[in-house]
Amino acid sequence: MTVIFQEQEVSPPGSCVDAPTKLQIRDLRVTFSSRGKNFVAVNGIDLEVRDGEFIAIVGPSGSGKSTFLMALDGLTPSSGGEIAVDGKVVTGPGRDRAVVFQDSCLLPWRNVLDNVSFGLEMAGMPKGERYEIARELIGLAGLTQFETFHPKQLSGGMQQRVNIARALAADPQVLLLDEPFSGLDAQTREIMQGELLKIWDERKKTAIFVTHQIDEAVFLADRVIAFSARPARIAGEWSIPFPRPRHLSIKQSPEHRALEDSIWQVVRQEGALAAA
Amino acid sequence: MLLACLSVVLIVGTWQASASYRWVDPIFLPGPLEVLGALKGIVTDPGFASDLSVSANEFFWGLGLSVLVGGTLGILSGWYGAVDEFLRPVVTALNSIPHLALIPLLVLLFGIGVLPKVLLVLLSCIVVMLMNTAAGVRSVDTQLLRMAKSFGASDRQIVCAVVLPSVVPFFMTGLRICVGKAVVAVAMSELFGSTAGIGNILIKAQSAMDMSRMYAAVVLLTVIGIALTQLAAALEAAMQQWKA
Ligand SMILES: Nc1ncnc2c1ncn2[C@@H]1O[C@H](COP(=O)(O)OP(=O)(O)OP(=O)(O)O)[C@@H](O)[C@H]1O
Ligand SMILES: [Mg+2]
């Protein structure tokens, strides 16, 4: 089996180079057992993420990206290795991490305000306080006029903004995003990428963002990581040098295109392996 | 709405015609006007309030117990496979029995007071409530459960914030169906042996050969059934405006 590893040594973006480690993943393994047979989904991933760093993960379909993310959140138990946030070992879901799910997962009977404050409510925060925080994030997401709307009354893009605001309201140390824009049309998706960076520039959360869209990964991230075909290992890693705040126009630059190409080659090879 | 009005007008018109042209002997089927007069007689009767309150009592106790017991068991059997398996034979049996056939048995066991009526309502409604709430629990979106867990929600929080709200629409549908069933159960069990209640008015009128009054009681029961069901439907709609 070929192991592809590409590293482009470009100067990493300023702010988080010497930031302390936020998330430490050591030899992470996830195994599912079905009908007595073991099925390895994630096979020994080592990753160190600095405070405030934005990581994007790409890789072929079924390679184990979602599984990896769910293991980081503690929703899926790992079968080996270790995950630590600020040096504290992860044993299950916790308030130091929050997930932005692919389908917005909003509670349909709750309005925007009550959806955004959901995490804080589960944490036992009194109503007045959690509404104050939620309103701030609703403002940041540009949804102030829609505070009393129910999910059914919102567009897909707006629902995803609520989804992101809900995760940020919980004030996690690490934000885990699983293809949050994959259900949106290309145009809304671009707008949302810009919106996400705007919000993220404001909050500077450590983020792990899973996506199929390579241009999205390059545009958003400080570092892009490509997963191999299942079982997932790291097949490639790229530092993304563009300064922040980034504007959507950088997607047209030759540097951006070159990075996309180089990542695409690795992902395509892995995809071919997955299909073989 | 227009068509619904038309069909009512048609039925009442045919009824009036059959009285006017004596298609049916008015001794057996008096015209709408006589029945309306008799209805006024029933409602203004000094004993009416107590008859109404007896029936209402049977209705609310029966329905209330069904909602409470059926709803709770429904939630449990929707959530725990073991409870579902344990209850299934009883549920299947209760669902297949023609409830009205149980009336003689209930009269034999519990007499002709309020208790057998409450029990009949309970028997006809509890399974509907149970099956509806259980279906509601089973239909809870597993993605939402996972989302709640990822925010560190405890089991109790998940039940209160995710499971119960998802069950509400199913519960309300069950309630609406049961309101109609409960009215029928109260009326039927009163016909088979009672000392008071709307059904008792009907059966007394029949033995007195007062046909107008008997039909008036039937009309009254129908109107009450429709009104209560409409009320439940309105409540059902009001409680899930977020679905629109
Ligand atoms: N709960 C589970 N039980 C058994 N197998 C699972 C489970 N969840 C995921 N898998 C398997 O693990 C592998 C990785 O799945 P995963 O969803 O992580 O892939 P992915 O990289 O997110 O794919 P995609 O890009 O299509 O979302 C798949 O082969 C999948 O069938
Ligand atoms: Mg996935």
Short mmCIF file of all heavy atoms in Angstrom, two decimals, chain A residues 65-67 102 178-179 210, ligand 2:
data_model
loop_
_atom_site.label_atom_id
_atom_site.label_comp_id
_atom_site.label_asym_id
_atom_site.label_seq_id
_atom_site.Cartn_x
_atom_site.Cartn_y
_atom_site.Cartn_z
N LYS A 65 -13.84 10.54 8.34
CA LYS A 65 -13.74 11.93 8.83
C LYS A 65 -14.78 12.22 9.91
O LYS A 65 -14.46 12.77 10.96
CB LYS A 65 -13.92 12.91 7.65
CG LYS A 65 -12.94 12.68 6.51
CD LYS A 65 -13.12 13.68 5.38
CE LYS A 65 -14.46 13.55 4.66
NZ LYS A 65 -14.64 12.27 3.95
N SER A 66 -16.02 11.84 9.61
CA SER A 66 -17.08 12.08 10.61
C SER A 66 -16.81 11.28 11.87
O SER A 66 -16.99 11.78 12.99
CB SER A 66 -18.44 11.69 10.05
OG SER A 66 -18.77 12.49 8.95
N THR A 67 -16.37 10.05 11.68
CA THR A 67 -16.07 9.20 12.82
C THR A 67 -14.99 9.85 13.69
O THR A 67 -15.10 9.88 14.92
CB THR A 67 -15.58 7.82 12.34
OG1 THR A 67 -16.56 7.30 11.44
CG2 THR A 67 -15.38 6.88 13.49
N GLN A 102 -23.87 18.40 10.34
CA GLN A 102 -24.11 18.60 8.91
C GLN A 102 -25.54 19.10 8.64
O GLN A 102 -25.73 20.14 8.04
CB GLN A 102 -23.86 17.29 8.17
CG GLN A 102 -24.15 17.39 6.70
CD GLN A 102 -23.67 16.16 5.94
OE1 GLN A 102 -23.03 15.28 6.51
NE2 GLN A 102 -23.97 16.10 4.67
N ASP A 178 -18.80 19.40 11.02
CA ASP A 178 -18.86 18.29 10.07
C ASP A 178 -19.64 18.69 8.83
O ASP A 178 -20.86 18.66 8.81
CB ASP A 178 -19.51 17.07 10.73
CG ASP A 178 -19.33 15.81 9.88
OD1 ASP A 178 -18.67 15.90 8.82
OD2 ASP A 178 -19.85 14.75 10.28
N GLU A 179 -18.92 19.07 7.80
CA GLU A 179 -19.53 19.48 6.52
C GLU A 179 -20.73 20.39 6.72
O GLU A 179 -21.82 20.10 6.21
CB GLU A 179 -19.96 18.24 5.73
CG GLU A 179 -18.83 17.28 5.47
CD GLU A 179 -19.19 16.26 4.39
OE1 GLU A 179 -19.85 16.67 3.42
OE2 GLU A 179 -18.82 15.09 4.52
N VAL A 210 -14.52 19.62 8.86
CA VAL A 210 -14.49 18.54 7.86
C VAL A 210 -15.25 19.00 6.62
O VAL A 210 -16.33 19.57 6.73
CB VAL A 210 -15.14 17.26 8.43
CG1 VAL A 210 -15.40 16.26 7.33
CG2 VAL A 210 -14.25 16.65 9.50
MG MG C 2 -19.06 12.30 7.07
#
